[in-house]
Amino acid sequence: MNGPDNLIEEIFEQSDELTEKQKKIILAAIQSFAEKGYASTSTSEIAKSAGVAEGTIFRHYKTKKDLLYSIIEPMLKKFIAPFVIKDMEKVLNEKHASFEDFLRAMIENRIRFLSKNMLLFKILIQEIPFQPELKALFKEHIGTKVITRFTQVVEHYQEKGELIDAPPLTIIRLTASAIFGYLIVRNLLLPELDWDDQAEIDQTVQMIMHGIAVPKQA
């Protein structure tokens, strides 16, 4: 697990209070939650995989749900939101000449990011629909912040005359659906296919822009 985008390593490096046993428990829990789902994973299975007694888990985490949240909350709060917002700061600082350039850079960045954090992403996608507390955390740490910044990005390019005069939230919804639809199919549903990422990125960007860009004058 190498690279600056690896969230598990980052969480461990910035959590000095974690013991070696806790790290083993977290790694085993991530693997089990990703493969079997939270509901189908028992603490005894996690303990066996981590090479610790089941009681050790409960000394550190009161419940299995506490263990799940100890994995997901730092990911949302400290790492995913800052990375996404950092991309948008580049736009507001004129780092991308056009909205199309911004979309391309964002998709390429997310592909690299997900390739290093697929297990955590899989847990997040699997559990958010069934865990109201996780849904609230996602909204708090990512949803509200990202939508606010993305709205500024859309308005920025609308003012430049690149995007159609539509509610920013509508443009955000269409854009996010296309991007995350591709990422989920690419990385979770059909990862075994021989994907031509560059071609897929080009097609995704062009389809988004076809729907939201101001038509060029003939």
Side-chain angles (χ1 to χ4, degrees):
M1 297 180 182
N2 298 316
D5 286 343
N6 190 289
L7 297 183
I8 298 174
E9 286 187 352
E10 291 279 356
I11 291 170
F12 285 173
E13 288 174 4
Q14 296 197 21
S15 301
D16 296 333
E17 297 178 358
L18 288 177
T19 66
E20 287 304 312
K21 286 186 177 181
Q22 278 180 286
K23 292 179 181 179
K24 290 179 180 179
I25 291 169
I26 289 172
L27 288 174
I30 289 171
Q31 190 71 40
S32 295
F33 289 156
E35 289 181 357
K36 300 180 63 177
Y38 169 80
S40 298
T41 298
S42 68
T43 52
S44 61
E45 291 172 320
I46 295 171
K48 182 177 180 180
S49 179
V52 302
E54 188 174 7
T56 302
I57 294 178
F58 293 113
R59 280 201 296 273
H60 294 292
Y61 309 99
K62 293 180 180 180
T63 65
K64 186 175 70 168
K65 185 168 287 189
D66 285 338
L67 175 56
L68 173 67
Y69 289 176
S70 76
I71 294 167
I72 297 297
E73 185 167 14
M75 178 178 67
L76 293 176
K77 184 177 181 180
K78 297 182 180 179
F79 302 108
I80 292 183
F83 280 137
V84 174
I85 293 171
K86 185 178 179 180
D87 285 341
M88 296 181 183
E89 290 291 348
K90 292 179 182 178
V91 176
L92 299 178
N93 293 329
E94 301 291 341
K95 295 292 180 65
H96 296 297
S98 67
F99 190 76
E100 182 174 337
D101 291 339
F102 162 67
L103 285 181
R104 193 177 303 279
M106 175 169 282
I107 296 173
E108 290 174 350
N109 179 277
R110 292 305 92 190
I111 288 175
R112 290 193 299 270
F113 181 79
L114 289 179
S115 70
K116 295 176 181 290
N117 298 286
M118 187 49 55
L119 292 181
L120 291 173
F121 180 68
K122 187 175 182 180
I123 294 171
L124 186 64
I125 294 298
Q126 287 176 167
E127 301 304 330
I128 275 186
F130 307 105
Q131 304 282 349
E133 296 93 339
L134 280 185
K135 190 179 296 184
L137 284 175
F138 182 86
K139 184 176 180 180
E140 176 187 352
H141 296 305
I142 293 183
T144 303
K145 295 176 183 177
V146 170
I147 287 176
T148 298
R149 301 305 284 162
F150 213 137
T151 296
Q152 292 176 316
V153 169
V154 170
E155 290 173 343
H156 171 75
Y157 286 112
Q158 284 178 324
E159 290 173 3
K160 292 180 67 175
E162 290 189 24
L163 303 182
I164 60 175
D165 184 17
L169 191 58
T170 299
I171 292 177
I172 292 169
R173 174 177 59 79
L174 291 170
T175 302
S177 296
I179 293 175
F180 282 99
Y182 165 58
L183 293 176
I184 289 171
V185 172
R186 164 69 173 83
N187 292 284
L188 293 182
L189 301 182
L190 296 170
E192 70 277 4
L193 296 185
D194 185 19
W195 291 91
D196 183 340
D197 283 322
Q198 195 56 58
E200 291 292 337
I201 290 171
D202 290 342
Q203 289 290 336
T204 300
V205 169
Q206 290 306 312
M207 284 189 288
I208 293 172
M209 294 306 298
H210 182 74
I212 65 176
V214 172
K216 295 181 179 179
Q217 297 297 323

